[in-house]
Amino acid sequence: MTFIAQRFARAVHDHLVLSLVNLPEHPVIMGIFGAPGEGKTFQLRTVLDDANVHVLSINAADFESDRAGVPGKHLLASYVSAARAIEGKRPSCLVIDDVDTTAGEWENNTGTVNHQQVLAQLMHLADRPCDVESIGRIARVPIFVTGNDFGKLYPPLRRPGRMTALHWAPSAEERRAVITTVLMGLAGDDVVANLLASYPRHPVSFFAELRSHLTTIGAAQVIERLSQNLPLIAGEADLYRPHVEAAVRGRLDPLLVEQTAAALHEQHQAAGRAYLAPAYLTPSPEQVDE
């Protein structure tokens, strides 16, 4: 079971429909921004997958090349490929992950040719999504970009009319629902409530990592047995994953869950992640609700 916040899914569906029907006043780009680890990319991919939308993906690494102009051409080629799929009656979209890391405006940004051309290409698509030079008229493609810092984007690109933005900060109730789902089968509602009270500023990814640790503990014997014959399980994930999952079915001792969470928290601190706190820790649920 996967929990997807309804307001998140609704925003994605709205952008898909309004883009595919080519509503002129609706921006072709939707930016989804917010603190790291709160499930932006996971929810986006899940919503698109559930809607049977064909996704063409571009990540930050695709915007880097030792050959000038290649990233911009790759961006355009991906857009055109998605447009052709739409013209063939296959719902499609373009997803650009972590757009602020490479196409963003940073203090030490050198303003490379690739950086400038990617921005220019995005500006062109935002202004004339159905008109590509040397190709002509094509179908309009919904574009989704994700990132952590909306303010790092080129201001003319993020202005109203070119981009619609969803600033994703889950409410206390949304966080509770997501984390309850993440820990489903391992921890009851009362344990989840205690964890939320103990770690109100940790992102959802912390609790996903907690589930991984709890799975490792609960399935220790199965993992040890399978580790003795790795060639047996390589390439057979669907066959052997149920063995691990079956070993951790049923709720674990609440004390074990809370001790594991405390140990994981300490590991984060010991790993020197404190310097990431401003970006990686979210407001408390009480602050979000205010």
Side-chain angles (χ1 to χ4, degrees), residues 169-289:
S171 67
E173 187 54 40
E174 288 168 338
R175 282 175 55 78
R176 187 177 301 108
V178 169
I179 294 167
T180 297
T181 303
V182 168
L183 297 176
M184 184 173 293
L186 301 181
D189 292 345
D190 54 339
V191 177
V192 171
N194 289 338
L195 291 174
L196 284 168
S198 298
Y199 310 104
R201 298 182 66 237
H202 278 297
V204 171
S205 58
F206 171 82
F207 298 93
E209 188 176 356
L210 173 60
R211 182 180 182 91
S212 176
H213 280 254
L214 292 172
T215 299
T216 301
I217 294 171
Q221 292 183 343
V222 173
I223 293 173
E224 175 62 24
R225 186 172 70 252
L226 294 178
S227 70
Q228 303 304 312
N229 196 349
L230 295 180
L232 177 69
I233 66 175
E236 298 288 352
D238 291 340
L239 181 61
Y240 287 96
R241 184 176 58 252
H243 291 260
V244 176
E245 294 173 337
V248 292
R249 283 180 186 150
R251 293 177 182 174
L252 300 177
D253 183 341
L255 181 59
L256 173 63
V257 174
E258 294 182 5
Q259 288 176 337
T260 304
L264 180 59
H265 173 74
E266 290 302 320
Q267 287 177 21
H268 283 200
Q269 299 301 312
R273 296 188 182 179
Y275 77 97
L276 291 175
Y280 276 78
L281 296 182
T282 60
S284 67
E286 292 76 13
Q287 291 173 314
V288 172
D289 285 344

Side-chain angles (χ1 to χ4, degrees), residues 54 56 77-87 90 92-94 141:
H54 174 53
L56 284 92
S78 297
Y79 186 89
V80 172
S81 179
R84 296 308 187 204
I86 291 172
E87 291 164 0
R90 185 181 187 186
S92 302
C93 72
L94 182 62
V141 177

Side-chain angles (χ1 to χ4, degrees), residues 35-183:
E38 291 295 359
K40 299 181 297 297
T41 299
F42 174 77
Q43 290 192 97
L44 174 60
R45 299 285 179 162
T46 301
V47 172
L48 295 174
D49 185 60
D50 289 346
N52 294 316
V53 175
H54 174 53
V55 177
L56 284 92
S57 298
I58 296 179
N59 58 45
D62 294 323
F63 285 160
E64 296 289 349
S65 175
D66 57 358
R67 298 173 60 190
V70 169
K73 292 177 181 177
H74 176 58
L75 170 61
L76 180 59
S78 297
Y79 186 89
V80 172
S81 179
R84 296 308 187 204
I86 291 172
E87 291 164 0
K89 304 299 183 181
R90 185 181 187 186
S92 302
C93 72
L94 182 62
V95 174
I96 304 174
D97 291 313
D98 303 317
V99 68
D100 54 331
T101 62
T102 300
E105 302 290 308
W106 297 83
E107 181 178 353
N108 296 322
N109 190 294
T110 58
T112 65
V113 172
N114 283 333
H115 177 262
Q116 294 171 0
Q117 288 192 350
V118 165
L119 288 176
Q121 191 62 71
L122 285 172
M123 291 282 287
H124 172 85
L125 294 175
D127 290 337
R128 297 194 298 277
C130 298
D131 183 13
V132 175
E133 187 178 354
S134 78
I135 294 178
R137 297 287 295 179
I138 61 174
R140 172 171 162 156
V141 177
I143 300 176
F144 295 91
V145 301
T146 67
N148 302 135
D149 192 343
F150 182 70
K152 294 298 184 185
L153 283 190
Y154 182 49
L157 178 62
R158 68 175 190 252
R159 75 160 173 79
R162 289 198 176 111
M163 180 184 296
T164 179
L166 171 63
H167 298 276
W168 182 245
S171 67
E173 187 54 40
E174 288 168 338
R175 282 175 55 78
R176 187 177 301 108
V178 169
I179 294 167
T180 297
T181 303
V182 168
L183 297 176

Side-chain angles (χ1 to χ4, degrees), residues 17-28:
V17 171
L18 296 178
S19 294
L20 290 173
V21 302
N22 197 13
L23 189 68
E25 58 267 29
H26 183 75
V28 72

